[in-house]
Amino acid sequence: MDVWGNMSSLAVLNLADNQLEGDITNSFSELCSLRSLRLSNNNLSGEFPKFVQILSKCSQKQLEGLYLSNNRVSGKIPESIGQISSLTELSLYGNQLTGRIPASIGQMQLLTRLSLYGNQLSGRIPESIGQMSNLVYINLGKNSLEGVIFETHFSKLSKLKYLDLSSNSLVLNFHSDWVPPFQLSVIILRSCKMGPYFPQWLQTQKNYSSLDISNTTISDIIPSWFWGLSRTAVLINLSHNQIRGTFPSSTMEFAYYPKLNFSWNQLEGPIPSFLSKSSSLDLSYNKLSGFISFLCGIKASNLTLLDLTSNHVSGELPDCWTHLENLVFLGLCGNGFFGKIPTTLGNLYSLETLKFKNNRFVGELPSSLMNCKHLKVIDAAENQLSGLIPGWLGFELPKLVILILRSNHFYGRIPLQLCNLTHVHILDLSINISGTMPKCLSNLTALVDKRHSILTITHHYASDFGNGILSESYDDAATLIWKGIMSEYKSTLGLVKSFHLSSNQLTGEIPKEIIHLGGLVSLNLSRNHLIGQINPDIGKLELLQSLDLSRNQIDGRIPTSLFQIYGLGDLDLSNNNLSGNIPMGSQLQNFDPSAFAENPLLCGLPLQRMCDQEKEKGSVQQTGLGNQDHEGGLVTRGFYISMGLAILHSWKDFD
């Protein structure tokens, strides 16, 4: 039944940005005077071909704007779409449309805006799109489109200003001397195949503000003409290519403060000072060298992100950070920096992420860092820092989510103040310290909580481009030792709650409070001098994927409560003084014998050392009791499978 009754003369209907549900094909059949229909950002469903059929019956000569973006509309785009010849704007992005883009779309000669981004469209883009001479905006990104894009796809698009073909499987095949009929303002061609040469047709585009040609198989040098055309840009992304050569040493200046991303290339040489006049500068994973002094010549800076990770930049950090008060992210990992950390880093009051892993910094962490109240991530691993681990980390930086001080020259005990880090997800103090483990671990509430996990650790901030302020964000990443291998986590970083104190000089027993950290995914206390027994309630750490207690002096039996940790994929109890039988009838028999090796008094499968009959009988009785509550429980192994268990745990609250 049509709900619009006597409103057949309605010309404009705007129901966007609501919470509407239902099938779009059940309405609108009587609204034959509609010129504009806005239904975007709802929860509407229905078959698009049927909806087009309804519109074609009475609105095909009047309808100028159709906006259905961000709904759940499905089906193919029918050939009959071309019959709605009056359309000037068609916005269908963020739906579930499938199939090909019909060639009949070229009949919509009045169309100025075509947005099909974020669907499941496949096949080739019809060349008839090149006949739509009024098109100003084309967004076909994030589909499954394939095939070759020729010059004929743009033959009559002289008015085109916005082009997004990103995240498809498209090949751009243009002659080197092609002169496009358009002057683009926005060029988004990420993940299209354009290389190996730098696209010469870009030389004709004089007015672009945004350029993204990342991951496009370019292995050329950046031509000199490129920099002159980029002066007025606010976004330049050439990352994830094989671009080589050096930056120019010219004194060019950007008109605004652009977001620049040249990461994951083969660029060499020094970093020119003109790049520092940007709002975001990502030069990570290149071969850049020289010093970082290019930052010191700036009197005022809009820079919010600076990432120099994995280059060959060296020398001491200059003590000139005071003017970088807008900096939110500073990444210096994997370079050749040495000397002490300058105290003026404490003037970075907006800083949320500080990473300088794998350098040769010495001395203590400067106490001025306690001024950086917004810090959420500190990764200082693999340096030569010394002194006591400062207690102010726990009191003055309450927002810390990741604290990694692994492999330095710190000494002394773990400061009790670290137990105030109620938001910490990852705490890694390996290869540093001595003393006993603190008993206040249950105060680490983010590690206690096993219900609320997030996939990513995302930072949101405002960035001033010089011609406007935009909201920006980035997802943090962290490098952790998992199953003895150094691995980087980003898309699942929020799930990897870990507590690592391996390779220290820790003594005493493992505090019983450890079992309160029910959100832990990884616990590594290996290579210490810990004594006592494994807590019989260790099974309460039911989200553990990795447990390493190896190379200590732990004695007693292996608790049967380990059965409760269904997702345990990595276990190492070797080189201890454990005794008795390995509990039978659980996933423990699936582990490699090396997980239990060098425990002289331990017996039973998977070890070759068998227990005597009396012990084996006792083992069966114990196992029977231990399995009563978990009979038929699913035993899974491997990180990503068990990650699902953690997610399901967090969903239980919403059932």
Side-chain angles (χ1 to χ4, degrees), residues 423-442:
H423 297 288
V424 77
H425 280 58
I426 296 172
L427 182 58
D428 189 347
L429 307 179
S430 303
I431 321 177
N432 277 297
I433 48 179
S434 59
T436 58
M437 292 178 61
K439 296 182 179 181
C440 54
L441 298 177
S442 58

Side-chain angles (χ1 to χ4, degrees), residues 82-154:
Q83 297 175 14
I84 311 179
S85 55
S86 56
L87 269 183
T88 60
E89 296 193 1
L90 178 60
S91 182
L92 303 176
Y93 70 85
N95 281 285
Q96 300 168 16
L97 299 174
T98 57
R100 295 174 176 267
I101 301 173
S104 63
I105 204 166
Q107 300 171 20
M108 304 168 74
Q109 288 295 308
L110 299 179
L111 203 66
T112 63
R113 183 182 181 92
L114 175 62
S115 182
L116 304 177
Y117 177 89
N119 282 281
Q120 300 161 29
L121 298 170
S122 58
R124 298 175 180 271
I125 298 175
E127 291 186 37
S128 61
I129 207 168
Q131 303 301 309
M132 303 168 70
S133 58
N134 284 301
L135 272 177
V136 176
Y137 181 105
I138 298 177
N139 191 344
L140 307 180
K142 204 175 181 181
N143 280 284
S144 299
L145 300 168
E146 58 186 9
V148 180
I149 301 298
F150 297 104
E151 297 166 13
T152 51
H153 282 89
F154 304 102

Side-chain angles (χ1 to χ4, degrees), residues 174-194:
F174 305 141
H175 289 98
S176 59
D177 58 353
W178 179 52
V179 178
F182 48 67
Q183 283 292 318
L184 295 173
S185 297
V186 176
I187 307 169
I188 310 294
L189 300 173
R190 179 178 59 253
S191 299
C192 294
K193 186 175 181 181
M194 301 174 65

